[in-house]
Amino acid sequence: MQPDFAIGFSDIQADIAAGACSTTVFATSGDAGNTGGFSESRENGLRAAYATMAGVPNSWTSARVVHAGRSVTQLTLTARPSVQLVLLRLPDGDIDGSGFESTGQASLRKLYQGSITSLSTLDGPMQSYTAQEIVDTLGSVLR
């Protein structure tokens, strides 16, 4: 049985409702191998969900911030700046980690297992991450 490291949205909702700071990191773009705005639609859905959990208008500021030498997108909920989303925008590796043809079959699983040596972001500026660089970036966000 695989350990469950994920925090559920109900836990996040409870923290946000209590006024706690909430920074959620999304490593993959959720593109599901699709191009043409699919991942942007999913990000819009995330923004709307978090604004609803906070009970405030769906208005966000966006900035590129650097963590461990990598530029990531940081979204901050305007009416509740303690609520932030951090987006690495790496390709979605499919549910089984096999990747999608549109992104060269790349996935976090393949990077972790060593069958690929790096993984590139889907947005600009294009960046490539090794497994250690992802760990370093996530560590920097957490600090």
Side-chain angles (χ1 to χ4, degrees):
M1 185 165 160
Q2 294 262 347
D4 182 11
F5 296 106
I7 295 175
F9 274 106
S10 61
D11 297 323
I12 295 169
Q13 183 175 11
D15 285 347
I16 290 172
C21 291
S22 174
T23 299
T24 306
V25 179
F26 292 90
T28 65
S29 67
D31 60 287
N34 295 297
T35 58
F38 187 80
S39 60
E40 291 87 353
S41 294
R42 285 194 163 176
E43 286 181 14
N44 289 337
L46 289 171
R47 288 183 185 120
Y50 276 78
T52 298
M53 285 190 278
V56 298
N58 185 17
S59 175
W60 298 78
T61 59
S62 178
R64 295 294 289 189
V65 296
V66 176
H67 286 284
R70 295 287 184 254
S71 176
V72 299
T73 299
Q74 180 175 295
L75 304 173
T76 303
L77 188 55
T78 304
R80 287 277 301 277
S82 61
V83 176
Q84 295 182 336
L85 306 178
V86 176
L87 311 167
L88 274 61
R89 293 181 172 148
L90 294 166
D92 179 349
D94 204 356
I95 197 161
D96 63 358
S98 63
F100 291 97
E101 187 176 327
S102 63
T103 55
Q105 307 300 138
S107 72
L108 284 170
R109 176 176 288 201
K110 288 180 178 181
L111 182 65
Y112 174 74
Q113 292 174 337
S115 60
I116 61 174
T117 58
S118 65
L119 195 55
S120 295
T121 58
L122 297 178
D123 72 334
M126 297 300 286
Q127 300 176 95
S128 184
Y129 286 84
T130 64
Q132 186 59 53
E133 288 167 336
I134 291 173
V135 170
D136 294 345
T137 301
L138 293 175
S140 176
V141 172
L142 292 174
R143 281 189 290 283

